[in-house]
Amino acid sequence: MPYQYISLERCEGIAIIRLQRPEALNALNRQMIEELEQCFMELEADKKAGAIIITGEKHFAAGADINDMLEFSPEQARAFSFRHCFARIEAFPKPVLAAVSGFALGGGMELTLVCDWRIADKTARFGLPEINLGIFPGAGGTLRLPRLIGTARAKEMIFSGGTIKAEQALEYGLINQIAEDALAETIKTAQMLAGKPPIALKLAKQCISQAFDIDGVKAIEFESIAWASCFATRDQREGMQAFTEKRKPEFQGI
Ligand code: CAA
């Protein structure tokens, strides 16, 4: 399907989604969010893409489009919410990675928080400047950021609206890695993940997500059931057989 504000490229077992609204530093408008959600729906049926990358070009995304929001009523603001799209990305059954250059602000930074893995280059700047607009992060930031970096750091970023550089983001645990070329490094990581057994990856991702939403006893029970179900897959046989035969496993996703 053709998109206006994003592009989708498939290459060597992975898919790359590029945010493409450079004239507004990739500020996320309604159509862009709808296209992003549509794109993830399209990718759910794509058996060949083992991992997905979201990236921008010079900038990742400078937040939700402020021009769109200027005259919103509370009802319109709620309808504009990114939560459905972001929930779909967060629950996507394959690894989703963010390759970040330049600004990842507001809703743009919150988009990186629904990804499983974040790699940035030295130009990256992260921040939640919403407070300076008379609002606060409304695309999951108040939940996902404290989970990732702790309440103290999250409050610091959300209350101050300040921006941090890649080095500080790494120190906070907000990103996984700083690379000379964020996209090239993210492609390498995505291809590494695409070579892992997809069912075990999907179940591990589900367990990690569930762990925060259900109580500890249920989380361990859920993990135990999901873990045991790996033994119904051929990939489990292949992984363990390959170990005993001292060769590299070839996973098929079954
Ligand atoms: N919405 C709409 N347009 C935006 C935008 C945004 N979030 N961010 C940048 N732009 C536009 C600018 O208006 C400008 O357009 P024009 O050329 O037509 O004037 C263009 O992108 C380039 O931006 P600047 O000239 O401002 O570039 P700069 O390098 O001087 O500054 C910046 C860059 C510091 C990122 C600055 O653009 C900025 O502060 N942007 C807004 C960041 C922000 O507040 N984001 C949070 C949005 S609210 C949100 O995301 C809500 C939520 O939780 C979901």
Side-chain angles (χ1 to χ4, degrees), residues 4-7 18-29 32 55-62 65 103:
Q4 183 179 349
Y5 291 123
I6 65 170
S7 70
R18 288 187 171 80
L19 306 174
Q20 282 185 326
R21 206 184 158 218
E23 69 283 4
L25 312 184
N26 289 334
L28 303 160
N29 62 19
M32 228 167 148
T55 192
E57 292 273 324
K58 198 164 160 218
H59 297 287
F60 188 78
D65 192 311
F103 291 115

Side-chain angles (χ1 to χ4, degrees), residues 23-25 27 62-67 69 82 103 105-107 110 129-130 133 135-139:
E23 69 283 4
L25 312 184
D65 192 311
I66 298 168
N67 298 313
M69 297 185 291
F82 298 171
F103 291 115
L105 302 178
E110 288 170 292
E130 287 92 335
L133 300 168
I135 56 172
F136 65 88

